[in-house]
Amino acid sequence: MDTRPPLGTLPDGDRSAPELEVVPVRAYGRWIATVLALTALVGLVGSLARNDNVHWDVVGDYLFAPLVFDGLTTTLWLTAAAMALGLGLGTLIAVMRLSASPVLHAVATGFVWIFRGTPLLVQIIFWGYAAALYKYVQIGIPFTHVTFFRAETNSLLTPAVAALLALGLNEAAYASEIVRAGIQSVDPGQTEAAHSLGMRPALTLRRIVLPQAMRVIIPPMGNETINMLKMTALVSVISAHDLMSNIQDVYAQNYQVIPMLVVASTWYLALVTVLGVPQAWLERRYGRGSARGGHVSPFRRLFAGASGLFPRRSDKNDTSDTIEEGGR
């Protein structure tokens, strides 16, 4: 008979774990890909930095110019106002599309069909030249001579107002689909439970459905806000004096197209980066309690990935404790 103690057991009967050294698998492919990516990035940045055709002196002269700041102000208020108009009207359109009334559903569907089916650039030009279609804007009783308000279209639809209408109405079509998807993601049992408690449909939508739908609405709506900031550059075709319009006015005079585009790109990138901060906070705020509610910032992902490239050796004591717990 074999009188030797079992593996991992001392002669006195106490169980013990052998000291094992666990070495993580080396991800050589990840190292190679990281080196290649960093090499390409450094090469691209170095090429741009040494390129005399960029004219970095011109970029420095106009980066903080008053004309650029005037365009930034217009771009920011256009983005905020268009998103407010689009989100408010889009929520109403989404509710109309979910309504049991066939008329409301048809009107909302037609709105989305028109403004989502035509290019935004066409809509901007249309509103900018709306005076060619209607010389006057008037409000009154149809098919009568009773008029409550009357004004020239050119005096009302300034380039800024035309840009706001084009951007806001176009955004409302897309926002309505986002809001509708968020509302439909909520379990219908939530609505039934609220109605059983005596809550009216409007109160149920405001207090029960929309707060739960925000978890689905926030991420794409944040992307729409960032996209809206960049789409304001299209209003330069009607000279709305946004950032891109002022940049075009400058390089039309000094012929420094590339340096001025670098100035515009720098400011757009800076603004998009700033807008990403509240979006991440809102995603964490409304994503609490869900399995995917935690939002990890790109910097944390970068640091986590960098630490993963060089994994540390596991501590022997930790390994022994793990094996010992598994043997019990």
Side-chain angles (χ1 to χ4, degrees):
M1 178 181 295
D2 188 3
T3 59
R4 291 179 299 178
L7 181 62
T9 305
L10 296 179
D12 57 357
D14 295 336
R15 301 186 64 84
S16 175
E19 293 185 358
L20 300 178
E21 183 178 0
V22 179
V23 179
V25 178
R26 299 297 181 180
Y28 296 105
R30 190 188 309 170
W31 294 1
I32 296 174
T34 301
V35 172
L36 292 177
L38 289 177
T39 303
L41 179 61
V42 172
L44 177 61
V45 173
S47 175
L48 290 175
R50 297 191 307 269
N51 195 332
D52 296 334
N53 295 325
V54 178
H55 297 290
W56 292 106
D57 55 337
V58 178
V59 174
D61 292 339
Y62 285 95
L63 189 61
F64 300 101
L67 188 67
V68 173
F69 281 114
D70 291 342
L72 280 175
T73 303
T74 304
T75 295
L76 289 176
W77 82 256
L78 265 180
T79 302
M83 285 304 302
L85 175 62
L87 184 58
L89 184 59
T91 303
L92 178 61
I93 295 298
V95 174
M96 291 174 61
R97 291 200 69 180
L98 296 174
S99 173
S101 172
V103 176
L104 295 179
H105 177 80
V107 171
T109 303
F111 179 90
V112 174
W113 174 65
I114 292 175
F115 286 95
R116 197 175 60 174
T118 54
L120 176 58
L121 184 60
V122 174
Q123 298 177 32
I124 293 174
I125 297 175
F126 175 85
W127 287 106
Y129 294 91
L133 182 62
Y134 291 103
K135 186 177 181 180
Y136 296 98
V137 175
Q138 59 184 16
I139 300 175
I141 300 177
F143 308 109
T144 66
H145 296 286
V146 179
T147 303
F148 303 111
F149 174 80
R150 178 184 173 92
E152 290 187 358
T153 304
N154 282 329
S155 62
L156 287 179
L157 290 181
T158 61
V161 175
L164 175 59
L165 286 176
L167 294 174
L169 294 178
N170 181 266
E171 179 58 34
Y174 288 93
S176 65
E177 293 298 287
I178 296 175
V179 174
R180 184 170 67 93
I183 293 176
Q184 290 180 332
S185 68
V186 180
D187 190 349
Q190 301 285 330
T191 303
E192 296 174 0
H195 291 170
S196 66
L197 295 176
M199 299 180 67
R200 296 181 177 275
L203 183 61
T204 301
L205 179 66
R206 188 175 70 253
R207 298 292 299 274
I208 304 298
V209 177
L210 284 180
Q212 298 183 65
M214 292 299 289
R215 180 175 59 86
V216 179
I217 294 175
I218 288 297
M221 196 60 67
N223 291 334
E224 285 295 313
T225 304
I226 293 175
N227 196 34
M228 176 62 69
L229 176 67
K230 296 181 294 183
M231 286 193 301
T232 55
L234 294 177
V235 303
S236 60
V237 297
I238 57 175
S239 301
H241 299 292
D242 67 309
L243 175 60
M244 195 62 197
S245 299
N246 292 354
I247 290 293
Q248 287 179 338
D249 292 340
V250 172
Y251 71 63
Q253 299 176 8
N254 61 9
Y255 302 103
Q256 299 292 334
V257 179
I258 297 299
M260 298 311 300
L261 291 181
V262 171
V263 172
S265 301
T266 302
W267 278 111
Y268 280 121
L269 285 173
L271 294 176
V272 167
T273 303
V274 172
L275 286 178
V277 175
Q279 177 186 358
W281 180 84
L282 288 173
E283 289 185 15
R284 290 195 301 268
R285 173 67 176 79
Y286 288 98
R288 294 181 301 180
S290 62
R292 300 181 180 180
H295 176 79
V296 182
S297 65
F299 296 103
R300 290 184 179 180
R301 292 174 63 91
L302 180 61
F303 292 147
S307 61
L309 289 176
F310 307 99
R312 63 182 182 88
R313 295 175 180 268
S314 301
D315 188 44
K316 296 181 179 180
N317 296 330
D318 296 341
T319 305
S320 301
D321 295 341
T322 303
I323 296 178
E324 182 179 358
E325 291 177 359
R328 290 180 180 176

